[in-house]
């Protein structure tokens, strides 16, 4: 032990001093370098004022149609889901870019209409995303709280190609989101924080692994209190960030 210590000290003493102003070490890549993430903040701030535009239907595959977009929910004190979704999306984008990922958002402000759900899916597809996540907060029953992650059921010719990786992504997000935020899995939707649905155009039309995350219930007082705090939204973004990172590293 002592001998080891002595030789370590000697080795240290003999080591040449680091040259001054050594250039930064770029030999190891940023942890998410080369990864492409599409982030879709659900709804948009002017949707409510333009029902004609958002109620027109768009194709969502297999001959079915659905409204272009919807208004979204809000907390009892009037904090809108569309503003919340964008806030979380921006924080998530910052975290991902800091680790070298390439990020594409489906909208950049909260003053517009749409884009339609079909366009939102297309943006992720064109970006050739390694993973796509649509960020929402739910308008559930006031007595129910918690989050759930939605992935598409397997639909022949539509989602059969992305079903498995999307389910994997959903599971990774469920785990890290619960851990990082402490928000419980939904008490009123899905099962254990997961829900498989066949009706969401944004998932049906995706050609890249994609999920929706309902990050909490805006109509529930306990969830709303958390979602309304900017500092807590940072934690929410981190919860999503670590789920994405886990998924991307385990593919
Ligand atoms: Zn929503």
């Amino acid at each position: 032990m002592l001998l080891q210590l002595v030789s370590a000290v000697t080795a240290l003493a003999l080591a040449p001093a680091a040259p001054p102003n050594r250039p930064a070490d770029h030999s190891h890549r940023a942890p998410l370098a080369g990864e492409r993430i599409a982030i879709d903040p659900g709804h948009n701030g002017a949707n409510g004022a333009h029902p004609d535009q958002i109620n027109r239907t768009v194709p969502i595959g297999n001959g079915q149609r659905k409204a272009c977009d919807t208004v979204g929910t809000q907390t009892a004190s009037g904090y809108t889901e569309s503003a919340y979704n964008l806030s979380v999306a921006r924080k998530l984008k910052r975290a991902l870019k800091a680790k070298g990922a390439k990020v594409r958002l489906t909208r950049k402000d909260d003053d517009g209409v749409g884009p339609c759900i079909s366009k939102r899916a297309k943006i992720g597809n064109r970006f050739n995303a390694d993973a796509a996540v649509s960020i929402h907060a739910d308008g559930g029953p006031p007595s129910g709280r918690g989050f759930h992650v939605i992935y598409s059921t397997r639909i022949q010719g539509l989602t059969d190609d992305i079903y498995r990786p999307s389910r994997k992504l959903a599971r990774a997000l469920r785990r890290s989101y619960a851990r990082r935020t402490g928000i419980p899995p939904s008490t009123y939707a899905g099962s254990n924080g997961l829900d498989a649905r066949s009706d969401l155009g944004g998932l049906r039309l995706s050609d890249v692994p994609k999920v929706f995350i309902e990050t909490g219930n805006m109509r529930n007082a306990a969830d709303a209190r958390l979602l309304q705090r900017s500092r807590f939204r940072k934690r929410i973004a981190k919860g999503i960030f670590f789920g994405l990172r886990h998924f991307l590293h385990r593919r």
Side-chain angles (χ1 to χ4, degrees):
M1 177 66 175
L2 185 64
L3 201 65
Q4 273 172 10
L5 192 68
V6 168
S7 58
V9 168
T10 311
L12 205 63
L14 291 175
N21 299 324
R22 214 169 109 229
D25 180 11
H26 293 296
S27 59
H28 54 268
R29 291 169 9 124
L32 292 178
E35 303 286 0
R36 307 169 72 84
I37 319 293
I39 307 173
D40 173 35
H43 318 284
N44 203 335
N47 280 7
H50 297 85
D52 46 329
Q53 286 183 57
I54 65 161
N55 289 337
R56 74 194 165 87
T57 64
V58 293
I60 58 163
N62 286 0
Q64 296 186 34
R65 300 183 70 87
K66 210 170 175 180
C68 157
D69 206 5
T70 49
V71 176
T73 188
Q74 58 181 355
T75 65
S77 66
Y79 183 43
T80 67
E81 187 200 339
S82 67
Y84 164 84
N85 294 340
L86 184 64
S87 170
V88 172
R90 283 176 170 160
K91 292 178 197 301
L92 175 59
K93 177 184 177 179
R94 262 199 296 281
L96 288 165
K97 289 193 82 158
K99 297 297 178 192
K102 289 195 160 59
V103 179
R104 175 72 46 91
L105 258 62
T106 56
R107 63 180 169 99
K108 291 192 164 52
D109 57 48
D110 196 41
D111 312 316
V113 181
C116 292
I117 51 174
S118 45
K119 175 88 181 291
R120 291 174 191 262
K122 206 174 282 175
I123 289 169
N125 295 346
R126 289 222 177 115
F127 187 53
N128 197 17
D130 295 293
V133 58
S134 193
I135 296 169
H136 289 260
D138 208 7
S143 59
R145 69 167 301 203
F147 78 92
H148 63 288
V149 187
I150 306 167
Y151 59 99
S152 177
T153 56
R154 192 195 297 268
I155 306 169
Q156 201 60 41
L158 278 181
T159 62
D160 39 1
D161 51 342
I162 61 153
Y163 170 74
R164 278 180 166 277
S166 298
R167 191 179 59 180
K168 222 181 222 182
L169 174 58
R171 287 176 177 160
L173 282 174
R174 169 179 64 176
R175 188 179 147 101
S176 74
Y177 192 78
R179 252 193 208 174
R180 299 270 168 178
T181 66
I183 295 178
S186 176
T187 59
Y188 63 90
S191 146
N192 281 323
L194 287 184
D195 197 10
R197 284 172 61 172
S198 62
D199 62 312
L200 295 173
L203 298 181
R204 290 167 64 96
L205 299 175
S206 184
D207 295 325
V208 300
K210 183 174 180 180
V211 298
F212 274 46
I213 181 164
E214 295 283 1
T215 51
N217 178 11
M218 283 197 143
R219 305 308 296 172
N220 173 274
D223 279 2
R225 210 162 21 242
L226 296 174
L227 271 46
Q228 284 171 167
R229 285 171 44 203
S230 172
R231 266 179 58 199
F232 195 85
R233 289 198 293 279
K234 204 167 174 185
R235 220 196 277 186
I236 284 174
K238 281 280 167 166
I240 301 171
F241 167 85
F242 282 106
L244 283 167
R245 196 182 72 168
H246 184 86
F247 169 76
L248 293 165
H249 285 171
R250 303 269 157 121
R251 271 177 313 161

